[in-house]
Amino acid sequence: GDSVTQMEGPVTLSEEAFLTINCTYTATGYPSLFWYVQYPGEGLQLLLKATKADDKGSNKGFEATYRKETTSFHLEKGSVQVSDSAVYFCALPIGGKLIFGQGTELSVKP
Amino acid sequence: GAVVSQHPSRVICKSGTSVKIECRSLDFQATTMFWYRQFPKQSLMLMATSNEGSKATYEQGVEKDKFLINHASLTLSTLTVASAHPEDSSFYICSALTRRSYNEQFFGPGTRLTVL
């Protein structure tokens, strides 16, 4: 069945470090892919998206490329900030619903 | 644009009382709204999908008589937790789809329910 697998957290980095959060998916066809971010005590916000293979989504310094050949959508940021501390969810829209990965908690220390 | 609000943001109630949570799309008409439940340090669990003017579709294992969903208009959906018990304590989040958003859901800020 359709599914999303994310790298397990928590991930702890120092400020200005490079971030990668892995996300792979299983789905029929070529759906869109999303990364959502959840700050403490809040709902989810769309961080970036890609609607077809080889698309690169980007926002706030974060990037992710839709790789059909590896069925992946890894999230990257070159230099993280303390304010990036949050939980990140990879998501796959299927049949009008969103299938979420388990979430990866990121903690950035000054 | 595409702002979703929830009210209340936090509620504490005694066991046995019913609690209503509102989800509103503030600047758009929501063709479909979703209700999720999130436990600490976990992902979101979809509870139900609702379309304006029709009955909600519940996910397997979600009690329809416990979690009552009403989608009365294109901008309002409500979740009522009937006769709440401590095990119903959780973070409840709603989201909405617009006609133009295709499959991108817009999320509310969540409601923290604590049942004593």
Side-chain angles (χ1 to χ4, degrees):
Chain A
D2 303 313
S3 67
V4 177
T5 302
Q6 264 183 255
M7 176 175 119
E8 287 193 19
V11 174
T12 302
L13 295 173
S14 297
E15 207 165 21
E16 299 184 2
F18 183 85
L19 168 71
T20 299
I21 300 178
N22 291 338
C23 171
T24 56
Y25 67 91
T26 302
T28 53
Y30 303 107
S32 299
L33 293 165
F34 300 125
W35 274 102
Y36 281 89
V37 58
Q38 184 179 31
Y39 297 103
E42 299 182 12
L44 274 67
Q45 302 174 26
L46 181 68
L47 179 60
L48 54 84
K49 66 180 179 182
T51 56
K52 60 183 186 297
D54 298 326
D55 261 4
K56 177 185 281 188
S58 61
N59 185 27
K60 299 181 181 180
F62 290 90
E63 292 183 339
T65 301
Y66 188 152
R67 302 267 185 221
K68 180 178 64 175
E69 61 277 9
T70 54
T71 61
S72 65
F73 193 54
H74 304 323
L75 182 68
E76 296 182 335
K77 185 173 186 181
S79 175
V80 294
Q81 305 299 312
V82 173
S83 57
D84 294 327
S85 298
V87 180
Y88 294 82
F89 292 95
C90 187
L92 174 68
I94 294 289
K97 303 177 184 179
L98 280 177
I99 298 175
F100 287 97
Q102 62 267 48
T104 302
E105 183 178 4
L106 171 66
S107 178
V108 181
K109 306 296 184 185
Chain B
V3 178
V4 177
S5 71
Q6 279 183 243
H7 179 79
S9 58
R10 186 179 295 268
V11 57
I12 301 172
C13 68
K14 292 182 179 179
S15 186
T17 59
S18 292
V19 176
K20 180 184 282 189
I21 302 170
E22 292 186 348
C23 176
R24 292 182 185 272
S25 56
L26 298 185
D27 51 0
F28 66 99
Q29 292 184 330
T31 53
T32 305
M33 285 184 166
F34 303 86
W35 286 97
Y36 295 86
R37 183 172 181 178
Q38 186 180 33
F39 292 102
K41 304 290 186 181
Q42 293 190 24
S43 189
L44 280 70
M45 182 191 80
L46 179 64
M47 300 173 67
T49 303
S50 73
N51 294 293
E52 184 261 342
S54 60
K55 289 185 178 180
T57 302
Y58 290 81
E59 295 299 302
Q60 193 171 9
V62 177
E63 298 177 61
K64 301 177 184 181
D65 296 332
K66 161 69 80 174
F67 299 102
L68 306 168
I69 291 171
N70 185 288
H71 194 155
S73 75
L74 283 171
T75 60
L76 174 65
S77 176
T78 59
L79 167 67
T80 300
V81 184
S83 186
H85 291 284
E87 58 267 28
D88 299 323
S89 297
S90 194
F91 193 54
Y92 293 89
I93 306 175
C94 72
S95 70
L97 281 175
T98 77
R99 288 193 178 88
R100 290 178 295 176
S101 68
Y102 182 44
N103 52 19
E104 177 186 340
Q105 293 183 22
F106 298 94
F107 287 82
T111 297
R112 172 74 60 194
L113 170 63
T114 303
V115 186
L116 303 175

